[in-house]
Amino acid sequence: MKLMAVALPILNLPVFEGPLDLLLHLVREHKVEIADIPIVLITEQYLAYLQSMEERNLTLAGEFFVMAATLLEIKSKMLLPAPPSDSDEDAGVDPREEIAQRLIDYERFKALVPLMQELELDRARLFFRGQGAYGDEYELPVEFGTVSAASLLSALSKVLERADTGDHQITSVRRHRLTLRLAMHKLLACVKENGSDGLVFEDALLESGQTHLDIVMLFLALLEMLRQAMVRVEQAAVFAPIMIYSQDLAGGSAVQ
Amino acid sequence: MKELLEAYLFVAGEPVMPAEIAKTMQVHPDDVAEALNELMGEYRTRDGGLQIVRLAHGYQMATREEHAEDIAKLLDPPGKANRLSKPALEALAIVAYRQPVTVAEIESVRGVASDGVLRTLLEKKMVYEHSRKAVPGRPILYATTPDFLHYFGLDTLGDLPSLDFELSDEDVTARHVIEQAAGLISE
Amino acid sequence: MKELLEAYLFVAGEPVMPAEIAKTMQVHPDDVAEALNELMGEYRTRDGGLQIVRLAHGYQMATREEHAEDIAKLLDPPGKANRLSKPALEALAIVAYRQPVTVAEIESVRGVASDGVLRTLLEKKMVYEHSRKAVPGRPILYATTPDFLHYFGLDTLGDLPSLDFELSDEDVTARHVIEQAAGLISE
């Protein structure tokens, strides 16, 4: 008999970007003003949340603990009787003030995120000239002088990446290796299937080859097949599509 | 002039700057800007498949929003464009409104380490190394690029939503608190 | 329909075939051709900076002949820094790392037609016609120029950043295969 997987109780806790995000959530939940945080309560809840995270074996970044320490410090300051004030300036300082300021500041920027997403989506609805050649995303041209050799490398790796994530991407773990022999076999089958129509060179390389390794392999296979005179390659004019024909059909097409 | 500008907008494939055109054609920049604005109005009136938009300090020809889905279908782009993540947008918003700004300053607002997202933003050319701050350690100050403006469909930084917007649905107390806080921050 | 076709003519950047559009949009090819002809007529009547021409069995949007000189001046004004579009940079990167290389080879990596950008690179003197490939059709092999090295601040091609990183998650076999391929291609 199979062991049943034990369903874990679903803890419906949102994911927090950081300590400020969590703190803001707690403050908002209590519908209190940021400037008037019930520090004892919030600190307790904050610590409880960290504990629940630990129990679920989630790695917590140090920032969460720094915030916990800060909250505890504020809490202790709030609980201690106010020291006899020597000066007027000292007297009015609320220990929560700094954290309140940070929360207000953080909230403003957090609120900008959906607005920026909206702008981002709106702009993505515009297409510019030659967009087909840009692939995924339009980018402003780069000025010579600001372009480093490293940007060439990143441009190349982006293209290779794109070739890697074609429409027919295999989602299973990629461990298959297209050997040269296999690639030749595959390519020859394609060429034969197309018969006297011929196979367009780019289609041959991109149709079946999804990873750049596959593309290189198919390209290698084509070279090898040419060398062994298994196929014939023709191009009607400069920049015209390069066609691959099976040599077996050479006689057949001449009959017509 | 207007016909030439229309032709140039078409072939340029990038935002065109009135000042640059004026220099090359030896006319006054204001005349160029005026003709461009007129052309922009004509395209709006004509209501065809194209429009002229103001982007990254320039004028650029683009398709109209309502055709986005069909154009995408016809172009069959090789994969979905990557959108920026929320943390990246958060960091970018801070750079946009506080620029030039250091990583430490971004981190102090966000409360989390931000060098990773900043690297992404640099790679995507949303920000660049503007200068160095004149403090010990001379940390790098980051600012937004023209690519940033273009990516978000903005002409200038002034087109960014006002930082006050978020109060629209808050109550007056909240506004008061934040104004108070803003006063404190700017001190 | 006409508006969408206008938008598509603009973004396509190459001759547009009615049959292909009809297939994608699931309409009759005759309807597409009719709308395109109508649009062509409208452009002729409007007498602006653009026109629609019939080219290579398709329709293409283009500037009008009379603006050719001015457009050339605006695109390449003296003293203005040259700019490279993203497609051009991609193609240049492939030439740089895989040279000498044919257009078909560039296209097979990029997955899109690349003769246009290659023409730009030739005009900007970033690449030149190196030789012809010893295969049927004898396609042109392109290589980078000394100007290319100069622009990118390189002394020799050996100074290009190493391609190694792209193989980081691949195994040694992959590296071996690519080296083999590079050897074969350069033969």
Side-chain angles (χ1 to χ4, degrees):
Chain A
M1 204 180 136
K2 270 189 199 166
L3 276 173
M4 294 293 288
V6 180
L8 289 167
I10 297 159
L11 283 173
N12 209 1
L13 288 172
V15 179
F16 295 104
E17 301 279 3
L20 285 171
D21 202 19
L22 168 55
L23 201 56
L24 194 63
H25 171 81
L26 295 176
V27 171
R28 284 277 163 257
E29 246 187 3
H30 287 282
K31 296 189 170 64
V32 290
E33 281 172 24
I34 290 174
D36 194 25
I37 302 169
I39 200 75
V40 178
L41 184 66
I42 294 290
T43 304
E44 270 166 21
Q45 292 189 346
Y46 185 91
L47 293 173
Y49 179 82
L50 290 202
Q51 206 170 11
S52 79
M53 295 280 281
E54 276 188 318
E55 275 165 12
R56 290 157 73 206
N57 282 323
L58 295 178
T59 39
L60 277 175
E63 294 118 358
F64 280 93
F65 296 107
V66 173
M67 179 60 75
T70 310
L71 287 173
L72 286 168
E73 194 197 343
I74 297 169
K75 186 178 135 186
S76 63
K77 272 191 193 158
M78 298 281 291
L79 292 177
L80 284 173
S85 60
D86 301 336
S87 65
D88 290 344
E89 292 147 41
D90 247 26
V93 176
D94 188 329
R96 298 171 298 178
E97 197 176 276
E98 198 205 323
I99 197 77
Q101 274 178 40
R102 284 190 69 190
L103 274 178
I104 289 166
D105 211 23
Y106 174 72
E107 190 183 29
R108 297 173 124 193
F109 285 106
K110 187 177 153 67
L112 277 171
V113 170
L115 272 169
M116 290 184 70
Q117 278 174 325
E118 215 174 287
L119 291 174
E120 188 184 27
L121 281 176
D122 284 350
R123 177 18 215 95
R125 295 182 70 81
L126 299 183
F127 289 88
F128 305 103
R129 183 159 179 260
Q131 184 95 23
Y134 280 85
D136 46 2
E137 184 63 57
Y138 177 87
E139 274 175 29
L140 286 178
V142 284
E143 229 158 86
F144 279 142
T146 67
V147 192
S148 65
S151 61
L152 274 179
L153 185 59
S154 78
L156 180 64
S157 58
K158 259 193 243 170
V159 181
L160 292 174
E161 238 170 67
R162 209 159 69 206
D164 264 349
T165 53
D167 287 340
H168 325 283
Q169 197 195 12
I170 302 155
T171 43
S172 62
V173 180
R174 213 174 60 222
R175 207 59 253 179
H176 76 285
R177 285 256 173 272
L178 191 59
T179 63
L180 185 59
R181 182 183 291 273
L182 197 64
M184 283 169 68
H185 185 76
K186 211 165 158 180
L187 198 56
L188 194 64
C190 272
V191 171
K192 282 193 170 154
E193 198 181 292
N194 281 38
S196 55
D197 290 342
L199 180 66
V200 180
F201 179 82
E202 292 98 299
D203 292 353
L205 287 194
L206 286 176
E207 204 170 58
S208 44
Q210 292 315 318
T211 69
H212 54 262
L213 182 60
D214 288 351
I215 294 173
V216 172
M217 259 308 183
L218 282 164
F219 186 57
L220 262 178
L222 179 64
L223 294 179
E224 184 60 24
M225 283 157 75
L226 267 175
R227 199 179 65 81
Q228 293 184 22
M230 292 161 78
V231 292
R232 175 165 60 85
V233 172
E234 280 179 15
Q235 189 182 25
V238 181
F239 300 137
I242 296 172
M243 307 298 296
I244 310 170
Y245 300 93
S246 165
Q247 279 296 37
D248 291 354
L249 284 154
S253 57
V255 168
Q256 287 188 333
Chain B
M1 180 69 177
K2 222 161 52 187
E3 288 76 34
L4 172 62
L5 288 174
E6 187 182 11
Y8 181 50
L9 277 168
F10 169 72
V11 292
E14 58 180 303
V16 304
M17 314 289 161
E20 280 180 14
I21 299 173
K23 207 173 143 201
T24 312
M25 302 310 293
Q26 298 183 318
V27 288
H28 199 279
D30 288 353
D31 294 343
V32 177
E34 199 190 307
L36 282 169
N37 285 329
E38 220 173 283
L39 197 63
M40 213 166 132
E42 278 175 24
Y43 265 74
R44 208 176 297 124
T45 318
R46 196 160 63 85
D47 203 20
L50 301 173
Q51 61 179 334
I52 297 167
V53 287
R54 303 212 51 169
L55 272 179
H57 307 300
Y59 294 76
Q60 189 165 10
M61 203 179 265
T63 60
R64 291 174 87 100
E65 290 83 351
E66 58 260 45
H67 297 126
E69 282 79 22
D70 287 333
I71 291 288
K73 238 195 285 178
L74 286 165
L75 281 178
D76 189 22
K80 266 261 176 282
N82 291 320
R83 301 272 155 252
L84 290 170
S85 71
K86 273 187 185 179
L89 285 168
E90 215 175 81
L92 188 52
I94 297 166
V95 179
Y97 285 88
R98 294 264 165 103
Q99 58 188 312
V101 73
T102 66
V103 178
E105 284 157 7
I106 297 168
E107 286 175 347
S108 88
V109 175
R110 296 189 60 225
V112 288
S114 302
D115 42 343
V117 284
L118 213 71
R119 209 162 338 140
T120 309
L121 293 174
L122 276 168
E123 266 166 32
K124 296 219 170 224
K125 286 190 280 184
M126 293 289 112
V127 304
Y128 73 107
E129 298 186 2
H130 173 272
S131 54
R132 296 213 170 234
K133 194 165 180 171
V135 294
R138 298 183 53 75
I140 299 165
L141 285 162
Y142 295 93
T144 55
T145 61
D147 286 81
F148 161 79
L149 293 175
H150 199 277
Y151 185 76
F152 288 96
L154 306 169
D155 187 27
T156 68
L157 285 173
D159 295 336
L160 277 169
S162 149
L163 254 183
D164 282 326
F165 69 90
E166 95 227 43
L167 295 177
S168 55
D169 55 4
E170 299 272 356
D171 61 23
V172 185
T173 330
R175 183 185 299 266
H176 177 69
V177 168
I178 290 183
E179 269 164 13
Q180 219 179 357
L184 280 169
I185 291 165
S186 63
E187 259 167 31
Chain C
M1 182 65 175
K2 219 161 56 186
E3 288 76 35
L4 172 63
L5 288 173
E6 186 181 11
Y8 183 54
L9 277 169
F10 169 73
V11 294
E14 53 184 282
V16 163
M17 310 293 161
E20 282 175 18
I21 298 174
K23 204 173 140 199
T24 313
M25 300 309 296
Q26 299 184 317
V27 289
H28 198 280
D30 289 352
D31 294 342
V32 178
E34 199 191 308
L36 280 169
N37 285 327
E38 218 173 285
L39 197 64
M40 215 166 130
E42 278 176 23
Y43 266 73
R44 208 176 297 121
T45 319
R46 197 160 61 86
D47 201 22
L50 301 173
Q51 60 179 338
I52 296 167
V53 291
R54 300 217 49 170
L55 261 183
H57 308 299
Y59 294 75
Q60 188 165 14
M61 199 180 268
T63 59
R64 292 173 89 99
E65 291 83 353
E66 59 261 45
H67 296 127
E69 283 83 25
D70 285 335
I71 291 290
K73 247 195 281 178
L74 283 167
L75 280 178
D76 199 13
K80 187 184 147 197
N82 264 318
R83 282 200 282 262
L84 275 183
S85 70
K86 185 189 173 196
L89 187 67
E90 273 179 14
L92 185 56
I94 295 168
V95 178
Y97 281 92
R98 298 267 159 100
Q99 58 187 306
V101 71
T102 66
V103 177
E105 285 157 8
I106 296 168
E107 288 177 347
S108 84
V109 177
R110 292 190 61 222
V112 289
S114 302
D115 43 339
V117 283
L118 213 71
R119 217 159 25 232
T120 310
L121 292 175
L122 279 167
E123 275 164 22
K124 301 210 179 201
K125 298 200 175 61
M126 289 291 103
V127 303
Y128 73 106
E129 297 186 3
H130 172 271
S131 55
R132 293 206 171 242
K133 193 164 181 175
V135 293
R138 296 183 54 72
I140 299 165
L141 284 162
Y142 295 92
T144 54
T145 62
D147 280 25
F148 162 80
L149 293 177
H150 178 73
Y151 271 123
F152 286 90
L154 304 168
D155 193 20
T156 68
L157 284 174
D159 296 335
L160 276 171
S162 157
L163 245 182
D164 271 6
F165 87 95
E166 126 206 24
L167 295 175
S168 56
D169 56 338
E170 302 272 358
D171 62 21
V172 185
T173 329
R175 181 187 303 264
H176 177 70
V177 167
I178 289 183
E179 271 163 12
Q180 210 182 357
L184 266 175
I185 291 167
S186 65
E187 259 169 30

